[in-house]
């Protein structure tokens, strides 16, 4: 439906990021990569293959077989069914509230179009979490020069394999009009900037947004975007267990012949240790660990764009990452 003419009176409250959709021309190659990356296949329904992590989300990634490689949008959980109904009446080109009969977890969904670049954005409510028994895993202990936390005669031993995905952490877009995009998402949802980055003219061109949940601690960003000439998805990012797991996954993907995009390194904004990979469709996906947490007491940081504000250690920033 078209955007309603009724005046907007309140923000739509989001709880967390839920899942993403990607359309792949070569679906078998995509499936092989996703399993090597650390996803677990949940089900297949028609052209759709659903993947979960090791958390309670019914799925975090949907691979769709299609005629061309294309991003299908990200989904966020809304706080109430009233938020979902309100979204269907007030957001640009929003659908009606639709029942999810064939997706893992079920629930309800509204899809609207980003008002600047037209990509789909999904809102969901009522998905049933997976009732899983938590995996008992001892946290790794480290021996520091002045503090030996690991008992004697106990050794660090690891098994090679994929780095299991815990959850979807964030996704990012290149947008063609930063100011319009920023004003829309800040005014319509409980997004709040953790960081803003400005150019040589003092104009804001990049933002990292978290969800304002009051004093509740949330990820430093769940959505980011920056201005560029052509709109496209930049990457989606998935938390894994720890640094060793991340590097074991890095080596596993490398041995499988997949192409590393950038990493391993440590970001400045968000602080997370990153590792970016190209999938066979040339989409970028990231493993990360040790990200920052913020709440309503955090004051937005504003900094100038430059090569030094993206990472503090790691390989040089590749041109393909910026493109």
């Amino acid at each position: 439906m078209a955007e309603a003419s009724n005046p907007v009176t309140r923000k739509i409250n989001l709880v967390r990021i839920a899942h993403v959709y990607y359309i792949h021309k070569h679906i078998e190659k995509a499936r092989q990569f996703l399993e090597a990356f650390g996803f677990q296949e949940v089900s297949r329904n028609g052209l759709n293959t659903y993947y979960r992590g090791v958390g309670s989300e019914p799925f975090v990634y949907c691979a769709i077989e299609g005629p061309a490689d294309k991003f299908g949008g990200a989904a966020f959980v809304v706080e109430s069914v009233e938020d979902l109904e309100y979204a269907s009446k007030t957001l640009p080109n929003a659908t009606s509230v639709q029942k999810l009969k064939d997706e893992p977890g079920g629930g309800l969904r509204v899809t609207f179009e980003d008002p600047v670049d037209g990509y789909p954005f999904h809102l969901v409510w009522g998905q049933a979490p997976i009732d899983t028994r938590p995996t008992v895993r001892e946290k790794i202990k480290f021996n520091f020069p002045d503090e030996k936390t690991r008992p004697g005669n106990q050794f660090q031993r690891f098994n090679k394999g994929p780095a299991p995905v815990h959850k979807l952490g964030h996704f990012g877009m290149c947008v063609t009009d930063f100011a319009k995009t920023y004003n829309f998402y800040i005014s319509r949802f409980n997004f709040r900037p953790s960081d803003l980055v400005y150019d040589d003219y003092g104009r804001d061109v990049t933002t990292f947004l978290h969800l304002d949940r009051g004093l509740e601690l949330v990820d430093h960003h769940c959505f980011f975007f920056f201005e560029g000439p052509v709109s496209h998805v930049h990457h989606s990012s998935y938390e894994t267990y720890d640094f060793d797991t991340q590097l074991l996954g890095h080596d596993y993907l490398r041995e499988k012949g997949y192409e590393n995009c950038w990493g391993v390194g440590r970001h400045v904004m968000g602080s997370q240790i990153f590792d970016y990979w190209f999938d066979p469709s040339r989409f970028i996906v990231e493993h990360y660990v040790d990200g920052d947490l913020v709440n309503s007491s955090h004051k937005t940081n504003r900094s100038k764009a430059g090569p030094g504000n993206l990472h503090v250690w790691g390989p040089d920033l590749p041109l393909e990452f910026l493109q």
Side-chain angles (χ1 to χ4, degrees):
M1 60 179 288
E3 185 172 8
S5 58
N6 295 333
V8 176
T9 58
R10 66 174 179 85
K11 292 184 178 183
I12 296 165
N13 292 311
L14 306 179
V15 179
R16 65 184 181 277
I17 191 170
H19 49 261
V20 287
Y21 299 88
Y22 284 87
I23 301 168
H24 296 274
K25 184 177 181 180
H26 302 291
I27 192 66
E28 286 302 328
K29 290 182 179 179
R31 287 171 178 156
Q32 292 172 13
F33 172 85
L34 293 169
E35 290 183 1
F37 189 79
F39 292 101
Q40 300 177 24
E41 183 176 330
V42 178
S43 63
R44 298 186 187 185
N45 178 32
L47 300 176
N48 295 3
T49 305
Y50 297 93
Y51 294 89
R52 58 164 294 197
V54 296
S56 62
E57 294 289 343
F59 73 100
V60 295
Y61 187 111
C62 177
I64 306 170
E65 184 177 7
D69 300 320
K70 186 178 180 181
F71 182 58
F76 282 77
V77 176
V78 297
E79 196 165 68
S80 67
V81 69
E82 289 76 19
D83 279 309
L84 205 61
E85 293 168 346
Y86 181 69
S88 72
K89 298 173 183 177
T90 62
L91 292 177
N93 296 317
T95 66
S96 59
V97 178
Q98 300 174 336
K99 189 172 183 179
L100 299 177
K101 299 179 180 179
D102 300 320
E103 296 203 343
L108 303 172
R109 179 176 66 199
V110 166
T111 299
F112 69 92
E113 290 183 3
D114 172 85
V116 178
D117 293 304
Y119 58 85
F121 203 110
H122 313 282
L123 305 174
V124 295
W125 180 85
Q127 285 187 301
I130 296 174
D131 184 14
T132 58
R133 295 180 180 179
T135 302
V136 178
R137 176 172 177 175
E138 184 178 355
K139 290 183 172 60
I140 295 175
K141 297 178 181 180
F142 291 90
N143 283 335
F144 299 96
D146 59 347
E147 183 181 3
K148 309 300 183 183
T149 65
R150 183 154 45 92
N153 301 318
Q154 292 189 12
F155 312 104
Q156 303 281 39
R157 299 291 184 267
F158 303 95
N159 296 317
K160 290 187 176 182
V165 166
H166 174 65
K167 71 171 186 180
L168 168 64
H170 62 264
F171 84 108
M173 296 292 301
C174 177
V175 302
T176 57
D177 190 318
F178 177 88
K180 288 183 179 179
T181 303
Y182 181 81
N183 289 337
F184 172 76
Y185 286 102
I186 290 295
S187 65
R188 297 310 317 273
F189 302 96
N190 58 322
F191 287 117
R192 184 174 176 180
S194 299
D195 277 274
L196 284 165
V197 180
Y198 61 91
D199 63 14
D200 291 339
Y201 305 98
R203 195 173 60 98
D204 291 335
V205 292
T206 301
T207 190
F208 295 84
L209 302 174
H210 67 268
L211 293 177
D212 185 356
R213 304 290 301 169
L215 293 179
E216 176 187 345
L217 288 170
V218 298
D219 289 338
H220 172 272
H221 58 281
C222 56
F223 181 28
F224 79 92
F225 49 86
F226 61 96
E227 188 170 277
V230 180
S231 177
H232 63 275
V233 65
H234 189 267
H235 72 267
S236 55
S237 182
Y238 305 86
E239 186 175 25
T240 189
Y241 191 76
D242 55 35
F243 188 44
D244 282 284
T245 303
Q246 185 181 37
L247 288 181
L248 287 165
H250 176 99
D251 285 348
Y252 185 80
L253 288 167
R254 179 177 51 80
E255 291 170 1
K256 289 287 185 180
Y258 292 112
E259 183 180 355
N260 183 244
C261 173
W262 187 31
V264 176
R266 172 78 81 165
H267 276 309
V268 176
M269 291 170 286
S271 298
Q272 68 266 35
I273 300 174
F274 61 83
D275 191 25
Y276 296 93
W277 291 83
F278 289 111
D279 73 11
S281 303
R282 302 298 291 177
F283 294 121
I284 301 174
V285 290
E286 176 193 16
H287 278 132
Y288 79 92
V289 297
D290 193 30
D292 291 336
L293 299 177
V294 298
N295 60 20
S296 58
S297 65
H298 170 71
K299 294 182 179 179
T300 301
N301 179 62
R302 193 165 179 265
S303 59
K304 186 178 180 180
N309 71 350
L310 285 182
H311 71 303
V312 66
W313 60 261
D316 291 339
L317 181 66
L319 183 59
E320 283 188 290
F321 186 82
L322 296 176
Q323 294 175 335

Short mmCIF file of all heavy atoms in Angstrom, two decimals, residues 213-233:
data_model
loop_
_atom_site.label_atom_id
_atom_site.label_comp_id
_atom_site.label_asym_id
_atom_site.label_seq_id
_atom_site.Cartn_x
_atom_site.Cartn_y
_atom_site.Cartn_z
N ARG A 213 17.35 1.36 23.52
CA ARG A 213 16.54 0.54 24.43
C ARG A 213 16.72 1.02 25.87
O ARG A 213 16.70 0.23 26.81
CB ARG A 213 16.95 -0.92 24.32
CG ARG A 213 16.87 -1.52 22.92
CD ARG A 213 15.47 -1.70 22.42
NE ARG A 213 14.71 -2.57 23.30
CZ ARG A 213 13.38 -2.73 23.22
NH1 ARG A 213 12.69 -2.04 22.34
NH2 ARG A 213 12.77 -3.56 24.04
N GLY A 214 16.90 2.34 26.04
CA GLY A 214 17.09 2.89 27.36
C GLY A 214 18.42 2.47 27.96
O GLY A 214 19.45 2.55 27.31
N LEU A 215 18.39 1.97 29.19
CA LEU A 215 19.61 1.55 29.88
C LEU A 215 20.05 0.14 29.51
O LEU A 215 21.12 -0.30 29.93
CB LEU A 215 19.42 1.65 31.39
CG LEU A 215 19.25 3.08 31.94
CD1 LEU A 215 19.03 3.04 33.45
CD2 LEU A 215 20.45 3.95 31.59
N GLU A 216 19.25 -0.56 28.73
CA GLU A 216 19.63 -1.89 28.27
C GLU A 216 20.86 -1.78 27.35
O GLU A 216 20.89 -0.95 26.45
CB GLU A 216 18.48 -2.55 27.51
CG GLU A 216 18.81 -3.89 26.91
CD GLU A 216 17.69 -4.43 26.02
OE1 GLU A 216 16.56 -3.90 26.09
OE2 GLU A 216 17.96 -5.37 25.24
N LEU A 217 21.86 -2.61 27.58
CA LEU A 217 23.05 -2.61 26.74
C LEU A 217 22.76 -3.34 25.43
O LEU A 217 22.21 -4.45 25.42
CB LEU A 217 24.21 -3.28 27.46
CG LEU A 217 24.83 -2.47 28.61
CD1 LEU A 217 25.81 -3.33 29.40
CD2 LEU A 217 25.52 -1.21 28.09
N VAL A 218 23.13 -2.69 24.32
CA VAL A 218 22.90 -3.25 23.00
C VAL A 218 24.19 -3.13 22.19
O VAL A 218 25.12 -2.42 22.57
CB VAL A 218 21.75 -2.52 22.27
CG1 VAL A 218 20.44 -2.67 23.03
CG2 VAL A 218 22.09 -1.04 22.07
N ASP A 219 24.25 -3.81 21.05
CA ASP A 219 25.42 -3.72 20.19
C ASP A 219 25.65 -2.30 19.71
O ASP A 219 24.70 -1.55 19.44
CB ASP A 219 25.26 -4.64 18.98
CG ASP A 219 25.37 -6.11 19.34
OD1 ASP A 219 25.95 -6.42 20.40
OD2 ASP A 219 24.86 -6.96 18.57
N HIS A 220 26.92 -1.93 19.57
CA HIS A 220 27.32 -0.59 19.12
C HIS A 220 26.61 -0.20 17.83
O HIS A 220 26.24 0.97 17.64
CB HIS A 220 28.84 -0.57 18.90
CG HIS A 220 29.35 0.67 18.26
ND1 HIS A 220 29.44 0.83 16.89
CD2 HIS A 220 29.83 1.82 18.79
CE1 HIS A 220 29.93 2.03 16.61
NE2 HIS A 220 30.19 2.64 17.74
N HIS A 221 26.39 -1.14 16.93
CA HIS A 221 25.58 -0.87 15.74
C HIS A 221 24.94 -2.16 15.24
O HIS A 221 25.52 -3.24 15.31
CB HIS A 221 26.37 -0.19 14.62
CG HIS A 221 27.57 -0.95 14.14
ND1 HIS A 221 28.77 -0.97 14.82
CD2 HIS A 221 27.77 -1.69 13.03
CE1 HIS A 221 29.64 -1.68 14.16
NE2 HIS A 221 29.07 -2.15 13.06
N CYS A 222 23.73 -2.02 14.77
CA CYS A 222 23.01 -3.11 14.11
C CYS A 222 22.69 -2.74 12.67
O CYS A 222 22.23 -3.58 11.89
CB CYS A 222 21.73 -3.46 14.88
SG CYS A 222 20.60 -2.07 15.10
N PHE A 223 22.91 -1.47 12.31
CA PHE A 223 22.62 -0.95 10.98
C PHE A 223 23.59 0.20 10.74
O PHE A 223 23.78 1.05 11.62
CB PHE A 223 21.17 -0.46 10.93
CG PHE A 223 20.70 0.09 9.61
CD1 PHE A 223 21.25 -0.32 8.40
CD2 PHE A 223 19.67 1.03 9.58
CE1 PHE A 223 20.79 0.19 7.19
CE2 PHE A 223 19.20 1.54 8.38
CZ PHE A 223 19.76 1.12 7.18
N PHE A 224 24.25 0.19 9.60
CA PHE A 224 25.10 1.33 9.25
C PHE A 224 24.89 1.65 7.77
O PHE A 224 24.47 0.79 6.98
CB PHE A 224 26.57 1.06 9.55
CG PHE A 224 27.27 0.20 8.52
CD1 PHE A 224 27.93 0.78 7.44
CD2 PHE A 224 27.28 -1.18 8.63
CE1 PHE A 224 28.57 0.00 6.48
CE2 PHE A 224 27.91 -1.97 7.70
CZ PHE A 224 28.56 -1.38 6.61
N PHE A 225 25.16 2.88 7.40
CA PHE A 225 25.13 3.22 5.98
C PHE A 225 26.05 4.39 5.72
O PHE A 225 26.40 5.16 6.62
CB PHE A 225 23.70 3.52 5.49
CG PHE A 225 22.89 4.47 6.31
CD1 PHE A 225 22.98 5.84 6.12
CD2 PHE A 225 22.02 3.99 7.28
CE1 PHE A 225 22.22 6.72 6.87
CE2 PHE A 225 21.25 4.87 8.05
CZ PHE A 225 21.35 6.23 7.84
N PHE A 226 26.47 4.49 4.46
CA PHE A 226 27.37 5.55 4.03
C PHE A 226 26.94 6.00 2.64
O PHE A 226 26.25 5.26 1.92
CB PHE A 226 28.82 5.08 4.02
CG PHE A 226 29.08 3.92 3.09
CD1 PHE A 226 29.56 4.13 1.81
CD2 PHE A 226 28.85 2.61 3.51
CE1 PHE A 226 29.79 3.07 0.95
CE2 PHE A 226 29.08 1.54 2.66
CZ PHE A 226 29.55 1.76 1.37
N GLU A 227 27.34 7.20 2.26
CA GLU A 227 26.89 7.74 0.98
C GLU A 227 27.83 7.34 -0.15
O GLU A 227 29.05 7.33 0.00
CB GLU A 227 26.81 9.27 1.06
CG GLU A 227 26.17 9.91 -0.17
CD GLU A 227 25.88 11.38 0.05
OE1 GLU A 227 24.84 11.68 0.64
OE2 GLU A 227 26.71 12.22 -0.36
N GLY A 228 27.24 6.99 -1.29
CA GLY A 228 28.00 6.64 -2.48
C GLY A 228 27.14 6.81 -3.72
O GLY A 228 25.94 7.09 -3.62
N PRO A 229 27.73 6.65 -4.90
CA PRO A 229 26.99 6.94 -6.14
C PRO A 229 25.93 5.91 -6.50
O PRO A 229 24.95 6.25 -7.19
CB PRO A 229 28.11 6.98 -7.19
CG PRO A 229 29.19 6.13 -6.63
CD PRO A 229 29.14 6.33 -5.14
N VAL A 230 26.10 4.65 -6.09
CA VAL A 230 25.16 3.59 -6.45
C VAL A 230 24.77 2.83 -5.18
O VAL A 230 25.63 2.35 -4.45
CB VAL A 230 25.77 2.62 -7.48
CG1 VAL A 230 24.77 1.52 -7.83
CG2 VAL A 230 26.21 3.36 -8.74
N SER A 231 23.48 2.71 -4.94
CA SER A 231 23.02 2.01 -3.74
C SER A 231 23.24 0.51 -3.86
O SER A 231 22.98 -0.10 -4.90
CB SER A 231 21.53 2.28 -3.51
OG SER A 231 21.05 1.56 -2.39
N HIS A 232 23.75 -0.10 -2.79
CA HIS A 232 23.94 -1.55 -2.75
C HIS A 232 24.19 -1.97 -1.31
O HIS A 232 24.55 -1.14 -0.46
CB HIS A 232 25.13 -1.98 -3.63
CG HIS A 232 26.44 -1.44 -3.17
ND1 HIS A 232 26.90 -0.20 -3.53
CD2 HIS A 232 27.41 -1.97 -2.37
CE1 HIS A 232 28.08 0.03 -3.00
NE2 HIS A 232 28.42 -1.03 -2.27
N VAL A 233 23.99 -3.25 -1.03
CA VAL A 233 24.35 -3.76 0.29
C VAL A 233 25.86 -3.81 0.38
O VAL A 233 26.55 -4.14 -0.59
CB VAL A 233 23.73 -5.15 0.53
CG1 VAL A 233 24.29 -6.19 -0.42
CG2 VAL A 233 23.92 -5.58 1.99
#
